[in-house]
């Protein structure tokens, strides 16, 4: 596996694949890889001639008081993990390489970016769409892999590709969990010992809420999650998916999505399911 840090070198490496009309899989990540990222990469390896994983903590998707500086980073470890699952190129650019110019064209995502995570992270999804667009332009992947863990991000990327006619197939991948149900996340390292023990109760409560979805009540749901996790709920919402609108009797697929604050970390989780299942 090659670790590449410049756009020029990456495009030189990919040139023969374009010429041969080979398929290119892209797995965008912010690094500090875990099994969730590995599953995305494995799917990409199975479906493409060559796989590029990007490893870049994107500053434009972090707000001023968020954890950009503290976000865990370990490129050497990431390179080992990516290599193990068959990634051919790990693209790990510097911030200067990705953003050499200031004050140019930026993205303004629509209403679906202002709810759920977007409500407490203003501008977050504008940054996500910016970096994803840049990666698509630089790499020109045939297929790009995204986890359902970040379901709102996935929905917005699907909208981006649809609205801007981007020639890439988006491949959604199911959430990978720890044995006790906690969704794997690079940020789980910020949980205290007690928080780590209580955190799986978020998913457990979401499952209970799913089973009783006909009587879903947001206020009660907040109380249930806070009692079970001892965290502070940022949001718990039931919406249609992937449109992220209030649920009507027409909707068949819905998302039950939640975000939870602990002392040094904010966790997200969700269940996407068909109504009546
Ligand atoms: P991140 O490095 O957290 O930005 O995540 C990179 C990609 O991996 C995103 O598409 C995430 O949705 C996906 N991902 C992260 N954690 C998981 C997980 N536990 N299960 C499935 N996909 C995940």
């Amino acid at each position: 596996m090659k670790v590449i840090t410049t756009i020029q070198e990456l495009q030189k490496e990919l040139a023969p694949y374009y010429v041969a009309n080979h398929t290119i899989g892209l797995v965008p990540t912010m690094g500090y890889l875990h099994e969730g990222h590995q599953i995305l990469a494995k799917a990409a390896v199975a479906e493409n001639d060559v796989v590029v994983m990007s490893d870049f903590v994107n500053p434009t998707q972090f707000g001023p008081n968020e954890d950009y500086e503290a976000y865990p980073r370990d490129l050497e470890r990431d390179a080992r993990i990516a290599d193990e699952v068959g990634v051919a190129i790990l693209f790990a650019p510097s911030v200067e390489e990705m953003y050499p110019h200031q004050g140019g064209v930026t993205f303004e995502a629509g209403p679906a970016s202002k709810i759920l995570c977007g409500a407490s992270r203003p501008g977050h999804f504008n940054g996500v769409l910016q970096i994803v667009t840049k990666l698509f332009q630089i790499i020109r992947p045939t297929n790009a892999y995204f986890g359902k863990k970040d379901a709102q991000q996935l929905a917005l990327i699907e909208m981006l590709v649809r609205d801007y006619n981007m020639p890439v197939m988006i491949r959604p991948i199911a959430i990978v969990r720890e044995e006790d149900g906690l969704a794997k996340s690079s940020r789980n390292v910020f949980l205290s010992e007690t928080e780590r023990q209580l955190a799986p109760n978020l998913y457990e409560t979401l499952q209970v809420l799913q089973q009783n979805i006909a009587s879903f009540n947001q206020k009660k749901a907040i109380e249930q999650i806070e009692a079970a996790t001892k965290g502070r709920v940022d949001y718990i919402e039931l919406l249609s998916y992937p449109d992220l609108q209030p649920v009507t009797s027409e909707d068949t697929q819905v998302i039950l999505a939640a975000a939870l604050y602990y002392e040094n970390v904010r966790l997200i989780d969700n269940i996407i399911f068909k109504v009546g299942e």
Side-chain angles (χ1 to χ4, degrees), residues 28-30 34 37 40 71 146-147 149-150 153 174-176 184:
T29 82
M30 296 206 299
H34 52 70
H37 301 110
L40 263 70
Y71 197 86
F146 293 92
K149 156 127 191 298
D150 300 270
Q153 165 175 289
I175 300 178
V176 180
K184 295 212 178 208

Side-chain angles (χ1 to χ4, degrees), residues 55-258:
D55 187 325
F56 179 64
V57 184
N58 174 39
T60 71
Q61 69 190 69
F62 286 78
N65 298 316
E66 293 183 355
D67 57 354
Y68 174 70
E69 296 296 339
Y71 197 86
R73 293 161 170 88
D74 189 341
L75 184 58
E76 256 178 55
R77 179 173 162 274
D78 288 351
R80 264 200 321 273
I81 293 174
D83 189 30
E84 263 169 39
V85 290
V87 169
I89 299 169
L90 189 66
F91 178 50
S94 65
V95 172
E96 295 71 34
E97 180 70 10
M98 290 307 275
Y99 298 110
H101 312 291
Q102 303 297 318
V105 179
T106 51
F107 278 84
E108 179 61 37
S113 73
K114 314 264 194 276
I115 55 172
L116 303 174
C117 289
S120 51
R121 303 189 69 187
H124 167 66
F125 289 110
N126 295 339
V128 169
L129 298 185
Q130 178 181 38
I131 188 63
V132 168
T133 301
K134 283 178 72 77
L135 291 169
F136 285 175
Q137 293 293 113
I138 293 166
I139 295 159
R140 289 188 273 144
T142 321
N143 300 297
Y145 295 78
F146 293 92
K148 290 187 186 174
K149 156 127 191 298
D150 300 270
Q152 185 179 14
Q153 165 175 289
L154 173 61
L156 283 158
I157 289 167
E158 297 267 22
M159 289 178 207
L160 172 77
V161 167
R162 178 198 66 192
D163 293 350
Y164 288 88
N165 312 87
M166 294 183 175
V168 55
M169 284 285 295
I170 302 302
R171 301 287 204 198
I173 303 292
I175 300 178
V176 180
R177 299 181 178 280
E178 302 287 354
E179 263 177 29
D180 58 15
L182 175 65
K184 295 212 178 208
S185 166
S186 307
R187 288 189 169 100
N188 288 350
V189 294
F190 295 136
L191 290 165
S192 72
E193 215 171 293
T194 316
E195 288 170 346
R196 175 63 190 83
Q197 277 168 14
L198 291 164
N201 294 343
L202 173 59
Y203 180 50
E204 207 171 293
T205 312
L206 286 179
Q207 288 175 297
V208 173
L209 293 167
Q210 179 194 0
Q211 279 152 23
N212 302 292
I213 206 68
S215 55
F216 177 77
N217 172 292
Q218 195 178 40
K219 193 164 165 277
K220 281 199 189 131
I222 293 173
E223 285 168 10
Q224 261 172 281
I225 295 173
E226 292 191 339
T229 61
K230 306 280 183 262
R232 181 169 63 81
V233 169
D234 177 17
Y235 65 76
I236 164 82
E237 300 262 7
L238 178 67
L239 297 170
S240 65
Y241 194 83
D243 344 5
L244 302 175
Q245 300 287 321
V247 180
T248 70
S249 54
E250 312 276 286
D251 292 313
T252 49
Q253 187 170 250
V254 299
I255 183 168
L256 192 55

Side-chain angles (χ1 to χ4, degrees), residues 31-43:
Y32 213 70
L33 303 180
H34 52 70
E35 205 193 333
H37 301 110
Q38 281 181 299
I39 301 283
L40 263 70
K42 280 184 188 167

